[in-house]
Amino acid sequence: MTGCAFGERLREIRQSAGMTIEELSAASGVSGRAISDMERGHSRAPQERTLAALTGALGVADPDRAGLVALVRAERAGSRVGRPRTGELPRGIGDFVGRERELRELRGHAASGSGRTPVALVHGQPGLGKTALAIRAAEQMRDLFPDGQVYLDLRGTDPEPMGAGEALRRLLRALGVESRGIAEDEQERAGQLRAITRERRCLLVLDNAADERQVRPLLPGAGAGMVVVTSRRLLGGLDGVLRIGLTPLTPDESAQLLRAVAGRAFDQAPGYELGAVTRLCGHLPLALRIAGTRLASRPGWTMGHLAGRLTDADRRLANLQVGDLGVAAAFALSYAQLSGPAKVLFRRLAHVPGADFAAAHAAVLAEVDAAQAEDRLDELTELGLLQHEGCERYRFHDLIRLYAADRLRCEESAQARARTGQRLGDWLLDTAVAAGLRFAPDAGARGGPGPDDRPGLPASASPEQARAWLRAEADNWLPALRSAAADGRHQRVADVGEALHWHAERSAHTGRWPEVFGLSRAAAARLPDRRQEITHLAYYGWAVSVCQRRHAYGVDLAMEAYRLAEDLGDTREQAAAMHHAAHAWRLGADACRAVAAYRLALDLAGTAGDHDGYVQVRMGLAQALVEFGRPAEAIEEFRGVLRELDARAVDPAAARMAAMTARAALARCLGDVRRWPQSLAEAVRALPLAGEHGPHFAGRVHLTLGRSHSALGATEQARAHLTRAIKLLGGHDSGPGAAGSRAPSCTRALCEVEIPVWAWHRGIAQHAHVGVHCAEHRTTSIGVAQAALAALDGRDHVTAVQGACV
């Protein structure tokens, strides 16, 4: 650049002082390259501290110093007026919405003052408004950077992103360096950029970065400026960077953006239509802006009309396009950057029916091992096409899922898609069967989940791991079961139902079992083996009675199974069906029919030689007697269960569980009739067994021990057991919890067990019945323990018990 008055004057003063550039550099601490650039006009306006260092080293008098300051200010003023230069910020968005927290983070980072130029990375999936946020932040921080703001699109999503050398050249030109003054070597250019930014308070916005290799040479060292980088990638190789990951807008922010863009069409729309549009747009700023623009440009459209168009999943992406702007086009740029194997996985993940999935699903879909699947998932996550859901799971944004499904239809044949979907469905159902069988009495003898080298469960999966898998994958294996039923794979559906009924009894609060056993019942009815139909009729009857509280219908289904078993002369199945009928009557509080049905089922199981079934039926009878307020009879039945366990060849695992349940219930019943020494003794025997079966069972036994010790005057022991009970019951999964379970009744609830509870204060007892499901309802047990503990601590015992019953 010619005609730079400041540079010429600086050279004159240096030469008059008899100093070389190297000598001035040594005396002032300013680099020789920076001094040379200033004198040649390649760097026009140094920072005040740089100017002070130079004039001090040169011994410049005040008049000359003032003249240099005036020249510097004139150069700065001249650089900010006239025609726009390459690198100036693009036009911002006038209707920018949300991101207040991110804007505060960026401004705070700019003012961090560590001496090192602060760098912030805004990253996230396509369409989240990363560029818009960076520009809005630059506009709001203009006061912090008096030496200018420079914008550069690095074209990171182009087939060939901008090289670092070209990016450096453009930045240097934007910062006022003449073309002939820009070094040829890339490293030297990077040094020039660092020298200039060390002397200026300027903001660099590096938009749409491709990778770390492209960005790293563009980052300044020390200086008072700032760099904001945007990228679809996380750029994990960059150190010392503030990372701000964007997420979709909140529903309120989505509505604000749609209002700003759509105008009149928004004001006339009812709330439910507005909510539908924002939801179908996935709260993605790009999609919302396109939707709003389509409404604003089509006066005849309404919000409801647009919602109707977006409801069609196959056409949603096509409807989210206006002019040269489209959601699918934004996703396509990221898809094009994937490796071939990652592209295959991306589109095949559209086969996953649920909202989230794990690496095991990816391994099945891509037909690779777990390590390869994780590498490909990392690639998808790095590009913003997947999001982490917790530590080990992933999920698509709804619109990206649609794009993946579109790629799947376009790039794979119908036959290939069918094979892949079948493979995933079979794996899901195989793993569901393996998980369900972990709850069977002979689970230990069955071994692991099978020979598949991509198991959804480890070979030594515990019941807790199996339960966690079934819960996490419910939205995946249940659609796979529906598909198997629709395809007429009846034996497959029945096998899944048979395996899962062991788990169902331990998770009755979930809403899926009526559907699961409804499907298995319908499938079994189409099989030649009538005994399977009997079995699955009974399972379905259990589900509608326990899960849906349709007790009369549950009885009807159980009796239908009983009649089929009677026709076949199968006494064992008759006993099982009558057991289910008794259970349904019990839940319906029909004491007379329930007890009679239990006794008939007991006789049938004994006649059939079904030892396991006999013990289960007798346990059910004892628990029913507890609920119906007949504790003395219940005590005898529980003792009978313990005798039968010694006399009959019951499966060892089932016998151990039954012994624990019977002893714990016996201890509780003995306390109900105030036989406290015997209650204490039985609870002590039950505690080791209960500890083997999980915190809930142990917590219930500790509750009984607390009651017994308190009644016997051992206040400290009572307090210890009650405190332990609260900890165990509170720390365990509460099943339906406060929201899913029905409010317990203070008289009798329609559930598995009704516990008579005493809250007491130094011998004063107040009796209250609290209904609680023995396997799933824990919150009431916690309340009972807290009430008892409160009474021991001297609070009002009646109020405490009433609080537990609310």
Side-chain angles (χ1 to χ4, degrees), residues 346-347 350 396 399-409:
F346 172 77
R347 58 182 181 255
F396 277 128
L399 295 179
I400 295 181
R401 176 187 289 276
L402 293 179
Y403 181 74
D406 179 70
R407 290 297 86 209
L408 184 66
R409 287 190 297 269

Side-chain angles (χ1 to χ4, degrees), residues 206-371:
L206 307 178
D207 192 25
N208 192 16
D211 53 33
E212 296 91 336
R213 185 173 56 183
Q214 182 193 40
V215 172
R216 196 174 283 114
L218 313 182
L219 301 182
M226 180 180 183
V227 180
V228 176
V229 183
T230 76
S231 178
R232 299 185 180 195
R233 298 179 183 272
L234 185 61
L235 304 186
L238 296 182
D239 296 326
V241 173
L242 170 67
R243 287 181 170 80
I244 299 178
L246 295 191
T247 59
L249 299 176
T250 66
D252 286 344
E253 290 170 342
S254 297
Q256 292 174 35
L257 179 54
L258 198 57
R259 177 196 294 274
V261 180
R264 180 189 56 80
F266 178 95
D267 295 333
Q268 296 175 350
Y272 68 90
E273 292 179 355
L274 170 63
V277 170
T278 57
R279 177 179 54 80
L280 292 168
C281 287
H283 305 289
L284 196 68
L286 176 61
L288 290 163
R289 190 167 295 282
I290 293 172
T293 301
R294 297 199 73 182
L295 276 174
S297 60
R298 291 164 174 78
W301 281 24
T302 64
M303 193 74 71
H305 178 79
L306 178 59
R309 281 176 167 261
L310 295 177
T311 299
D312 182 356
D314 291 338
R315 293 283 303 160
R316 190 176 306 162
L317 292 178
N319 280 296
L320 289 174
Q321 180 171 342
V322 59
D324 64 350
L325 195 62
V327 171
F331 297 156
L333 292 173
S334 290
Y335 182 69
Q337 293 187 327
L338 294 173
S339 64
K343 286 181 178 177
V344 171
L345 177 59
F346 172 77
R347 58 182 181 255
R348 288 185 180 178
L349 284 170
H351 282 293
V352 178
D356 56 78
F357 47 87
H361 302 72
V364 173
L365 289 166
E367 298 181 275
V368 296
D369 61 34

